[in-house]
Amino acid sequence: MASGNDEYFRSKGPSHLRSVDWNNAYHRRSVAASLVEGVYELDRHRQAGRQGSQSSAPPWWEFFHFELIYQLVDDDDGSIFGAIFRYNPPAYSYHRTIDRSPPYVIAFRGTSRPESGSFERDLELDIKIIKNGLHQTSRFATAMKAVQAVVTAVGPSNLWLTGHSLGAAMAMLTGKTMAKAGKFLEAFLFNPPHVSPPVNHVIKDKKVRHGLRFAGTIIKAGLAFAAAGDDQRKGIEYKDSLAAISGWIPRLFVNQEDPICSEYIYYFEHRKKLQDLGAGSVARLTSKFSLGNLFMSAAGVKGVENSEPLHLLPSANLTVNLSPSQDFSQAHELRQWWRQDLNLKCSVYEYK
C-alpha cells in the first residue's frame, strides 16, 4: 500500500484500483499513466526540495506495488525526465493475471509547466521533435542506454515503455529503435505528438479536408517514386524500413480534440482507406514521408533533419477519446486516461 503523502494520489489518481486485473485494458492503461504521473511528481518535488514523507510522488507507483529503482536525469539541466520501476506484488495479493504484468516499466514524463525550472529544456526538446532531431539529444541517449540495459538484463518481453506528450515521443523513439533491432516492447503512449498540420482543427469543411489529404498523398507518392527511381539508378536496393518494424504494435492514446496528437487518427484512417480502395502499395510508399517535414524544408526552416520522421508508424493499437473536452489543456492532460467515464474508440492498424 502507498506510503508518504498520498492525499494527492487519493484525490486525483485511480485509487479505486485496489486489485489490478492485468487482462483489463482499463487497468493496464491506468497503471501505465499513473507511473508517468509519478515521474512528473518526482521532478516537481526535486525542484521544490521535497523528499521522503514530504513527497506525494511515491503513492503513484507504490499503490500498485511498484518500486522505484532508478531515476533518469537530463545531463543538460539535471531534471528528472524518466524512471525505471520494478513490480513487486505481495504474495497475499496474487492475481490469476499476474503473468501479464510488467516486471519492469520505464516511464517518461512530458513537458513541464511554464513556471517550472525544467520548462526551458523541455521546450527545446519539443522543438527538436518538430525538426525531427530528438534522436540527436543527450536526453534520448540517456533514455536509450537505460532501455537497452534493462532489455539486456531481463529481455524485451519483461519491459513496458510508457510516456506522455514529450515523454510519449521519447518512449516511441526508444521503442522504434529497439524494434529495428528485432526487439518488440510493449508501449503505452499517451498524447504522442504528431508533426503534421492539424488539418481537422483548422479546416472545418469535410470535403476540403479530404481534398487536402488526397493532394498530400499525390505529393508524397511522387516523391516516393522519384526517390525509388533515383536509388535504382544508383544501384541501391530498395528497402521498406517500416516493414521491418511492422510487427511492433505500440498502444497510442489520443484525444480527438487535442491538435498535438489527433492527426494520428487521420494518418491511420487515410492509409486504411487507400488499402480498402486497392491502393495498398501507394499507402505503403507514402507512409515513409511527412508533409510537415516537406513544408518546413521547402520554407527554409533550418535544422529539419532528413531522417525518418518520428511519428511515422507502420502499425498501432489506437485508442481515441471521443469525450468532449472543455479546452486544449483538458484534451491533452494525462489524468483523462484513468477516468472511468470515457467514450473510447479502439482500432488496430497493421502494415500490409
Side-chain angles (χ1 to χ4, degrees), residues 108-127:
F108 303 100
R109 66 166 176 83
T111 304
S112 53
R113 296 169 182 170
E115 65 272 15
S116 166
S118 305
F119 178 71
E120 184 176 344
R121 172 61 171 161
D122 292 343
L123 184 60
E124 177 187 332
L125 293 172
D126 290 334
I127 295 172

mmCIF file with all atom_site columns, all heavy atoms in Angstrom, residues 108-127:
data_model
loop_
_atom_site.group_PDB
_atom_site.id
_atom_site.type_symbol
_atom_site.label_atom_id
_atom_site.label_alt_id
_atom_site.label_comp_id
_atom_site.label_asym_id
_atom_site.label_entity_id
_atom_site.label_seq_id
_atom_site.pdbx_PDB_ins_code
_atom_site.Cartn_x
_atom_site.Cartn_y
_atom_site.Cartn_z
_atom_site.occupancy
_atom_site.B_iso_or_equiv
_atom_site.pdbx_formal_charge
_atom_site.auth_seq_id
_atom_site.auth_comp_id
_atom_site.auth_asym_id
_atom_site.auth_atom_id
_atom_site.pdbx_PDB_model_num
ATOM 1   N N   . PHE A 1 108 ? 8.343  7.935  -18.940 1.00 0.00 ? 108 PHE A N   1
ATOM 2   C CA  . PHE A 1 108 ? 8.906  9.236  -19.298 1.00 0.00 ? 108 PHE A CA  1
ATOM 3   C C   . PHE A 1 108 ? 7.828  10.316 -19.157 1.00 0.00 ? 108 PHE A C   1
ATOM 4   O O   . PHE A 1 108 ? 6.721  10.156 -19.692 1.00 0.00 ? 108 PHE A O   1
ATOM 5   C CB  . PHE A 1 108 ? 9.412  9.239  -20.741 1.00 0.00 ? 108 PHE A CB  1
ATOM 6   C CG  . PHE A 1 108 ? 10.435 8.184  -21.046 1.00 0.00 ? 108 PHE A CG  1
ATOM 7   C CD1 . PHE A 1 108 ? 10.076 7.008  -21.689 1.00 0.00 ? 108 PHE A CD1 1
ATOM 8   C CD2 . PHE A 1 108 ? 11.765 8.366  -20.699 1.00 0.00 ? 108 PHE A CD2 1
ATOM 9   C CE1 . PHE A 1 108 ? 11.015 6.030  -21.988 1.00 0.00 ? 108 PHE A CE1 1
ATOM 10  C CE2 . PHE A 1 108 ? 12.723 7.393  -20.986 1.00 0.00 ? 108 PHE A CE2 1
ATOM 11  C CZ  . PHE A 1 108 ? 12.339 6.228  -21.629 1.00 0.00 ? 108 PHE A CZ  1
ATOM 12  N N   . ARG A 1 109 ? 8.155  11.378 -18.459 1.00 0.00 ? 109 ARG A N   1
ATOM 13  C CA  . ARG A 1 109 ? 7.211  12.491 -18.342 1.00 0.00 ? 109 ARG A CA  1
ATOM 14  C C   . ARG A 1 109 ? 7.255  13.358 -19.594 1.00 0.00 ? 109 ARG A C   1
ATOM 15  O O   . ARG A 1 109 ? 8.187  13.288 -20.409 1.00 0.00 ? 109 ARG A O   1
ATOM 16  C CB  . ARG A 1 109 ? 7.523  13.349 -17.112 1.00 0.00 ? 109 ARG A CB  1
ATOM 17  C CG  . ARG A 1 109 ? 8.848  14.086 -17.207 1.00 0.00 ? 109 ARG A CG  1
ATOM 18  C CD  . ARG A 1 109 ? 8.964  15.189 -16.151 1.00 0.00 ? 109 ARG A CD  1
ATOM 19  N NE  . ARG A 1 109 ? 10.284 15.813 -16.202 1.00 0.00 ? 109 ARG A NE  1
ATOM 20  C CZ  . ARG A 1 109 ? 10.641 16.762 -17.033 1.00 0.00 ? 109 ARG A CZ  1
ATOM 21  N NH1 . ARG A 1 109 ? 9.778  17.206 -17.937 1.00 0.00 ? 109 ARG A NH1 1
ATOM 22  N NH2 . ARG A 1 109 ? 11.864 17.287 -17.006 1.00 0.00 ? 109 ARG A NH2 1
ATOM 23  N N   . GLY A 1 110 ? 6.252  14.239 -19.698 1.00 0.00 ? 110 GLY A N   1
ATOM 24  C CA  . GLY A 1 110 ? 6.210  15.170 -20.815 1.00 0.00 ? 110 GLY A CA  1
ATOM 25  C C   . GLY A 1 110 ? 6.744  16.539 -20.428 1.00 0.00 ? 110 GLY A C   1
ATOM 26  O O   . GLY A 1 110 ? 7.510  16.683 -19.470 1.00 0.00 ? 110 GLY A O   1
ATOM 27  N N   . THR A 1 111 ? 6.327  17.543 -21.175 1.00 0.00 ? 111 THR A N   1
ATOM 28  C CA  . THR A 1 111 ? 6.782  18.914 -20.936 1.00 0.00 ? 111 THR A CA  1
ATOM 29  C C   . THR A 1 111 ? 6.258  19.428 -19.602 1.00 0.00 ? 111 THR A C   1
ATOM 30  O O   . THR A 1 111 ? 5.071  19.291 -19.305 1.00 0.00 ? 111 THR A O   1
ATOM 31  C CB  . THR A 1 111 ? 6.303  19.837 -22.071 1.00 0.00 ? 111 THR A CB  1
ATOM 32  O OG1 . THR A 1 111 ? 6.763  19.303 -23.323 1.00 0.00 ? 111 THR A OG1 1
ATOM 33  C CG2 . THR A 1 111 ? 6.852  21.245 -21.901 1.00 0.00 ? 111 THR A CG2 1
ATOM 34  N N   . SER A 1 112 ? 7.132  19.998 -18.816 1.00 0.00 ? 112 SER A N   1
ATOM 35  C CA  . SER A 1 112 ? 6.733  20.529 -17.511 1.00 0.00 ? 112 SER A CA  1
ATOM 36  C C   . SER A 1 112 ? 5.996  21.859 -17.668 1.00 0.00 ? 112 SER A C   1
ATOM 37  O O   . SER A 1 112 ? 5.934  22.439 -18.756 1.00 0.00 ? 112 SER A O   1
ATOM 38  C CB  . SER A 1 112 ? 7.967  20.708 -16.616 1.00 0.00 ? 112 SER A CB  1
ATOM 39  O OG  . SER A 1 112 ? 8.946  21.482 -17.290 1.00 0.00 ? 112 SER A OG  1
ATOM 40  N N   . ARG A 1 113 ? 5.449  22.357 -16.590 1.00 0.00 ? 113 ARG A N   1
ATOM 41  C CA  . ARG A 1 113 ? 4.689  23.608 -16.620 1.00 0.00 ? 113 ARG A CA  1
ATOM 42  C C   . ARG A 1 113 ? 5.612  24.790 -16.910 1.00 0.00 ? 113 ARG A C   1
ATOM 43  O O   . ARG A 1 113 ? 6.798  24.765 -16.578 1.00 0.00 ? 113 ARG A O   1
ATOM 44  C CB  . ARG A 1 113 ? 3.994  23.813 -15.280 1.00 0.00 ? 113 ARG A CB  1
ATOM 45  C CG  . ARG A 1 113 ? 2.950  22.741 -14.970 1.00 0.00 ? 113 ARG A CG  1
ATOM 46  C CD  . ARG A 1 113 ? 2.493  22.835 -13.534 1.00 0.00 ? 113 ARG A CD  1
ATOM 47  N NE  . ARG A 1 113 ? 1.520  21.790 -13.211 1.00 0.00 ? 113 ARG A NE  1
ATOM 48  C CZ  . ARG A 1 113 ? 1.098  21.520 -11.984 1.00 0.00 ? 113 ARG A CZ  1
ATOM 49  N NH1 . ARG A 1 113 ? 1.583  22.202 -10.950 1.00 0.00 ? 113 ARG A NH1 1
ATOM 50  N NH2 . ARG A 1 113 ? 0.213  20.563 -11.780 1.00 0.00 ? 113 ARG A NH2 1
ATOM 51  N N   . PRO A 1 114 ? 5.084  25.858 -17.525 1.00 0.00 ? 114 PRO A N   1
ATOM 52  C CA  . PRO A 1 114 ? 5.917  27.016 -17.881 1.00 0.00 ? 114 PRO A CA  1
ATOM 53  C C   . PRO A 1 114 ? 6.672  27.634 -16.709 1.00 0.00 ? 114 PRO A C   1
ATOM 54  O O   . PRO A 1 114 ? 7.775  28.149 -16.887 1.00 0.00 ? 114 PRO A O   1
ATOM 55  C CB  . PRO A 1 114 ? 4.901  28.009 -18.464 1.00 0.00 ? 114 PRO A CB  1
ATOM 56  C CG  . PRO A 1 114 ? 3.820  27.137 -19.018 1.00 0.00 ? 114 PRO A CG  1
ATOM 57  C CD  . PRO A 1 114 ? 3.704  25.987 -18.048 1.00 0.00 ? 114 PRO A CD  1
ATOM 58  N N   . GLU A 1 115 ? 6.101  27.557 -15.514 1.00 0.00 ? 115 GLU A N   1
ATOM 59  C CA  . GLU A 1 115 ? 6.772  28.139 -14.351 1.00 0.00 ? 115 GLU A CA  1
ATOM 60  C C   . GLU A 1 115 ? 7.848  27.226 -13.777 1.00 0.00 ? 115 GLU A C   1
ATOM 61  O O   . GLU A 1 115 ? 8.591  27.607 -12.864 1.00 0.00 ? 115 GLU A O   1
ATOM 62  C CB  . GLU A 1 115 ? 5.745  28.456 -13.258 1.00 0.00 ? 115 GLU A CB  1
ATOM 63  C CG  . GLU A 1 115 ? 5.039  27.257 -12.638 1.00 0.00 ? 115 GLU A CG  1
ATOM 64  C CD  . GLU A 1 115 ? 3.793  26.824 -13.380 1.00 0.00 ? 115 GLU A CD  1
ATOM 65  O OE1 . GLU A 1 115 ? 3.616  27.257 -14.547 1.00 0.00 ? 115 GLU A OE1 1
ATOM 66  O OE2 . GLU A 1 115 ? 3.001  26.060 -12.815 1.00 0.00 ? 115 GLU A OE2 1
ATOM 67  N N   . SER A 1 116 ? 7.954  26.014 -14.325 1.00 0.00 ? 116 SER A N   1
ATOM 68  C CA  . SER A 1 116 ? 8.925  25.043 -13.827 1.00 0.00 ? 116 SER A CA  1
ATOM 69  C C   . SER A 1 116 ? 10.339 25.367 -14.309 1.00 0.00 ? 116 SER A C   1
ATOM 70  O O   . SER A 1 116 ? 10.549 25.905 -15.407 1.00 0.00 ? 116 SER A O   1
ATOM 71  C CB  . SER A 1 116 ? 8.537  23.638 -14.287 1.00 0.00 ? 116 SER A CB  1
ATOM 72  O OG  . SER A 1 116 ? 9.585  22.726 -14.118 1.00 0.00 ? 116 SER A OG  1
ATOM 73  N N   . GLY A 1 117 ? 11.316 24.998 -13.513 1.00 0.00 ? 117 GLY A N   1
ATOM 74  C CA  . GLY A 1 117 ? 12.704 25.173 -13.903 1.00 0.00 ? 117 GLY A CA  1
ATOM 75  C C   . GLY A 1 117 ? 13.124 24.249 -15.022 1.00 0.00 ? 117 GLY A C   1
ATOM 76  O O   . GLY A 1 117 ? 14.187 24.443 -15.634 1.00 0.00 ? 117 GLY A O   1
ATOM 77  N N   . SER A 1 118 ? 12.323 23.219 -15.303 1.00 0.00 ? 118 SER A N   1
ATOM 78  C CA  . SER A 1 118 ? 12.636 22.262 -16.371 1.00 0.00 ? 118 SER A CA  1
ATOM 79  C C   . SER A 1 118 ? 12.021 22.656 -17.707 1.00 0.00 ? 118 SER A C   1
ATOM 80  O O   . SER A 1 118 ? 12.309 22.024 -18.736 1.00 0.00 ? 118 SER A O   1
ATOM 81  C CB  . SER A 1 118 ? 12.131 20.862 -15.989 1.00 0.00 ? 118 SER A CB  1
ATOM 82  O OG  . SER A 1 118 ? 12.633 20.444 -14.740 1.00 0.00 ? 118 SER A OG  1
ATOM 83  N N   . PHE A 1 119 ? 11.183 23.695 -17.698 1.00 0.00 ? 119 PHE A N   1
ATOM 84  C CA  . PHE A 1 119 ? 10.398 24.024 -18.892 1.00 0.00 ? 119 PHE A CA  1
ATOM 85  C C   . PHE A 1 119 ? 11.266 24.411 -20.088 1.00 0.00 ? 119 PHE A C   1
ATOM 86  O O   . PHE A 1 119 ? 11.009 23.987 -21.220 1.00 0.00 ? 119 PHE A O   1
ATOM 87  C CB  . PHE A 1 119 ? 9.411  25.157 -18.584 1.00 0.00 ? 119 PHE A CB  1
ATOM 88  C CG  . PHE A 1 119 ? 8.596  25.582 -19.768 1.00 0.00 ? 119 PHE A CG  1
ATOM 89  C CD1 . PHE A 1 119 ? 7.598  24.766 -20.279 1.00 0.00 ? 119 PHE A CD1 1
ATOM 90  C CD2 . PHE A 1 119 ? 8.843  26.799 -20.405 1.00 0.00 ? 119 PHE A CD2 1
ATOM 91  C CE1 . PHE A 1 119 ? 6.842  25.145 -21.376 1.00 0.00 ? 119 PHE A CE1 1
ATOM 92  C CE2 . PHE A 1 119 ? 8.094  27.192 -21.515 1.00 0.00 ? 119 PHE A CE2 1
ATOM 93  C CZ  . PHE A 1 119 ? 7.092  26.359 -21.996 1.00 0.00 ? 119 PHE A CZ  1
ATOM 94  N N   . GLU A 1 120 ? 12.303 25.212 -19.855 1.00 0.00 ? 120 GLU A N   1
ATOM 95  C CA  . GLU A 1 120 ? 13.130 25.685 -20.966 1.00 0.00 ? 120 GLU A CA  1
ATOM 96  C C   . GLU A 1 120 ? 13.770 24.521 -21.720 1.00 0.00 ? 120 GLU A C   1
ATOM 97  O O   . GLU A 1 120 ? 13.772 24.483 -22.952 1.00 0.00 ? 120 GLU A O   1
ATOM 98  C CB  . GLU A 1 120 ? 14.207 26.639 -20.445 1.00 0.00 ? 120 GLU A CB  1
ATOM 99  C CG  . GLU A 1 120 ? 15.051 27.262 -21.549 1.00 0.00 ? 120 GLU A CG  1
ATOM 100 C CD  . GLU A 1 120 ? 16.054 28.277 -21.015 1.00 0.00 ? 120 GLU A CD  1
ATOM 101 O OE1 . GLU A 1 120 ? 15.905 28.715 -19.859 1.00 0.00 ? 120 GLU A OE1 1
ATOM 102 O OE2 . GLU A 1 120 ? 16.992 28.626 -21.772 1.00 0.00 ? 120 GLU A OE2 1
ATOM 103 N N   . ARG A 1 121 ? 14.306 23.562 -20.979 1.00 0.00 ? 121 ARG A N   1
ATOM 104 C CA  . ARG A 1 121 ? 14.927 22.393 -21.601 1.00 0.00 ? 121 ARG A CA  1
ATOM 105 C C   . ARG A 1 121 ? 13.871 21.542 -22.314 1.00 0.00 ? 121 ARG A C   1
ATOM 106 O O   . ARG A 1 121 ? 14.094 21.052 -23.430 1.00 0.00 ? 121 ARG A O   1
ATOM 107 C CB  . ARG A 1 121 ? 15.654 21.568 -20.542 1.00 0.00 ? 121 ARG A CB  1
ATOM 108 C CG  . ARG A 1 121 ? 16.182 20.213 -21.019 1.00 0.00 ? 121 ARG A CG  1
ATOM 109 C CD  . ARG A 1 121 ? 17.189 20.335 -22.133 1.00 0.00 ? 121 ARG A CD  1
ATOM 110 N NE  . ARG A 1 121 ? 17.830 19.042 -22.412 1.00 0.00 ? 121 ARG A NE  1
ATOM 111 C CZ  . ARG A 1 121 ? 18.464 18.753 -23.522 1.00 0.00 ? 121 ARG A CZ  1
ATOM 112 N NH1 . ARG A 1 121 ? 18.567 19.666 -24.476 1.00 0.00 ? 121 ARG A NH1 1
ATOM 113 N NH2 . ARG A 1 121 ? 19.028 17.564 -23.687 1.00 0.00 ? 121 ARG A NH2 1
ATOM 114 N N   . ASP A 1 122 ? 12.708 21.362 -21.684 1.00 0.00 ? 122 ASP A N   1
ATOM 115 C CA  . ASP A 1 122 ? 11.639 20.579 -22.304 1.00 0.00 ? 122 ASP A CA  1
ATOM 116 C C   . ASP A 1 122 ? 11.182 21.221 -23.615 1.00 0.00 ? 122 ASP A C   1
ATOM 117 O O   . ASP A 1 122 ? 10.951 20.528 -24.611 1.00 0.00 ? 122 ASP A O   1
ATOM 118 C CB  . ASP A 1 122 ? 10.447 20.457 -21.350 1.00 0.00 ? 122 ASP A CB  1
ATOM 119 C CG  . ASP A 1 122 ? 10.760 19.597 -20.140 1.00 0.00 ? 122 ASP A CG  1
ATOM 120 O OD1 . ASP A 1 122 ? 11.749 18.840 -20.179 1.00 0.00 ? 122 ASP A OD1 1
ATOM 121 O OD2 . ASP A 1 122 ? 10.014 19.690 -19.147 1.00 0.00 ? 122 ASP A OD2 1
ATOM 122 N N   . LEU A 1 123 ? 11.054 22.544 -23.598 1.00 0.00 ? 123 LEU A N   1
ATOM 123 C CA  . LEU A 1 123 ? 10.625 23.255 -24.809 1.00 0.00 ? 123 LEU A CA  1
ATOM 124 C C   . LEU A 1 123 ? 11.652 23.091 -25.926 1.00 0.00 ? 123 LEU A C   1
ATOM 125 O O   . LEU A 1 123 ? 11.293 22.929 -27.099 1.00 0.00 ? 123 LEU A O   1
ATOM 126 C CB  . LEU A 1 123 ? 10.419 24.738 -24.492 1.00 0.00 ? 123 LEU A CB  1
ATOM 127 C CG  . LEU A 1 123 ? 9.877  25.606 -25.641 1.00 0.00 ? 123 LEU A CG  1
ATOM 128 C CD1 . LEU A 1 123 ? 8.525  25.096 -26.101 1.00 0.00 ? 123 LEU A CD1 1
ATOM 129 C CD2 . LEU A 1 123 ? 9.785  27.067 -25.200 1.00 0.00 ? 123 LEU A CD2 1
ATOM 130 N N   . GLU A 1 124 ? 12.906 23.103 -25.565 1.00 0.00 ? 124 GLU A N   1
ATOM 131 C CA  . GLU A 1 124 ? 13.979 22.881 -26.539 1.00 0.00 ? 124 GLU A CA  1
ATOM 132 C C   . GLU A 1 124 ? 13.818 21.519 -27.204 1.00 0.00 ? 124 GLU A C   1
ATOM 133 O O   . GLU A 1 124 ? 13.995 21.372 -28.420 1.00 0.00 ? 124 GLU A O   1
ATOM 134 C CB  . GLU A 1 124 ? 15.330 22.974 -25.831 1.00 0.00 ? 124 GLU A CB  1
ATOM 135 C CG  . GLU A 1 124 ? 16.536 22.691 -26.704 1.00 0.00 ? 124 GLU A CG  1
ATOM 136 C CD  . GLU A 1 124 ? 17.827 22.633 -25.905 1.00 0.00 ? 124 GLU A CD  1
ATOM 137 O OE1 . GLU A 1 124 ? 17.917 23.301 -24.851 1.00 0.00 ? 124 GLU A OE1 1
ATOM 138 O OE2 . GLU A 1 124 ? 18.750 21.912 -26.326 1.00 0.00 ? 124 GLU A OE2 1
ATOM 139 N N   . LEU A 1 125 ? 13.444 20.516 -26.410 1.00 0.00 ? 125 LEU A N   1
ATOM 140 C CA  . LEU A 1 125 ? 13.260 19.165 -26.953 1.00 0.00 ? 125 LEU A CA  1
ATOM 141 C C   . LEU A 1 125 ? 11.977 19.069 -27.773 1.00 0.00 ? 125 LEU A C   1
ATOM 142 O O   . LEU A 1 125 ? 11.917 18.317 -28.759 1.00 0.00 ? 125 LEU A O   1
ATOM 143 C CB  . LEU A 1 125 ? 13.254 18.145 -25.818 1.00 0.00 ? 125 LEU A CB  1
ATOM 144 C CG  . LEU A 1 125 ? 14.600 17.995 -25.096 1.00 0.00 ? 125 LEU A CG  1
ATOM 145 C CD1 . LEU A 1 125 ? 14.457 17.117 -23.870 1.00 0.00 ? 125 LEU A CD1 1
ATOM 146 C CD2 . LEU A 1 125 ? 15.654 17.414 -26.011 1.00 0.00 ? 125 LEU A CD2 1
ATOM 147 N N   . ASP A 1 126 ? 10.942 19.812 -27.376 1.00 0.00 ? 126 ASP A N   1
ATOM 148 C CA  . ASP A 1 126 ? 9.713  19.857 -28.178 1.00 0.00 ? 126 ASP A CA  1
ATOM 149 C C   . ASP A 1 126 ? 10.024 20.366 -29.585 1.00 0.00 ? 126 ASP A C   1
ATOM 150 O O   . ASP A 1 126 ? 9.499  19.852 -30.587 1.00 0.00 ? 126 ASP A O   1
ATOM 151 C CB  . ASP A 1 126 ? 8.673  20.773 -27.519 1.00 0.00 ? 126 ASP A CB  1
ATOM 152 C CG  . ASP A 1 126 ? 8.097  20.184 -26.241 1.00 0.00 ? 126 ASP A CG  1
ATOM 153 O OD1 . ASP A 1 126 ? 8.090  18.946 -26.113 1.00 0.00 ? 126 ASP A OD1 1
ATOM 154 O OD2 . ASP A 1 126 ? 7.666  20.959 -25.373 1.00 0.00 ? 126 ASP A OD2 1
ATOM 155 N N   . ILE A 1 127 ? 10.873 21.383 -29.658 1.00 0.00 ? 127 ILE A N   1
ATOM 156 C CA  . ILE A 1 127 ? 11.271 21.927 -30.959 1.00 0.00 ? 127 ILE A CA  1
ATOM 157 C C   . ILE A 1 127 ? 12.092 20.899 -31.731 1.00 0.00 ? 127 ILE A C   1
ATOM 158 O O   . ILE A 1 127 ? 11.982 20.777 -32.958 1.00 0.00 ? 127 ILE A O   1
ATOM 159 C CB  . ILE A 1 127 ? 12.060 23.242 -30.769 1.00 0.00 ? 127 ILE A CB  1
ATOM 160 C CG1 . ILE A 1 127 ? 11.143 24.310 -30.155 1.00 0.00 ? 127 ILE A CG1 1
ATOM 161 C CG2 . ILE A 1 127 ? 12.629 23.741 -32.101 1.00 0.00 ? 127 ILE A CG2 1
ATOM 162 C CD1 . ILE A 1 127 ? 11.846 25.586 -29.752 1.00 0.00 ? 127 ILE A CD1 1
#
